[in-house]
Amino acid sequence: MPKFMSSHTMPAGALQREQVDQLAQAAQNDPTVQPYRSFLNLSEGKIFCIMEAPDKQALAAWFQKMKMPCDYITPVELEGERGVVKEA
């Protein structure tokens, strides 16, 4: 399934750890999207997610269903880790 990177901006401190855990659980149990990796700074209200989904629209619909504001969603073409870059 294709990977997509998304950015989310919320008011600083608006999202609590318990809510993050609930969102992660919802993604794990969803038949359409699958979580891959997330980076969060709750005190600044910044969240970056990499998730697998059939397409960009399916992921956008999932974020809307979860009431998670979304700045953008973009397909991942290349993936790097510790200086090694490969096809996604």
Side-chain angles (χ1 to χ4, degrees):
M1 201 162 12
K3 289 181 187 136
F4 296 89
M5 180 172 49
S6 61
S7 171
H8 312 268
T9 303
M10 304 182 79
L15 193 63
Q16 301 300 313
R17 175 58 194 259
E18 296 78 25
Q19 294 167 294
V20 171
D21 292 341
Q22 290 171 354
L23 284 167
Q25 188 67 39
Q28 289 173 348
N29 294 326
D30 193 277
T32 305
V33 303
Q34 289 298 306
Y36 184 75
R37 182 167 273 176
S38 299
F39 303 91
L40 302 91
N41 184 320
L42 301 180
S43 62
E44 292 186 11
K46 298 290 185 186
I47 302 167
F48 299 93
C49 300
I50 300 175
M51 296 180 72
E52 296 177 342
D55 54 43
K56 186 175 177 176
Q57 293 77 16
L59 186 55
W62 187 82
F63 284 127
Q64 188 172 26
K65 180 175 78 171
M66 295 292 113
K67 298 181 180 6
M68 173 63 74
C70 188
D71 303 327
Y72 68 82
I73 298 172
T74 189
V76 174
E77 294 178 346
L78 299 173
E79 184 175 338
E81 184 172 351
R82 300 187 182 272
V84 178
V85 179
K86 61 180 182 169
E87 298 289 324

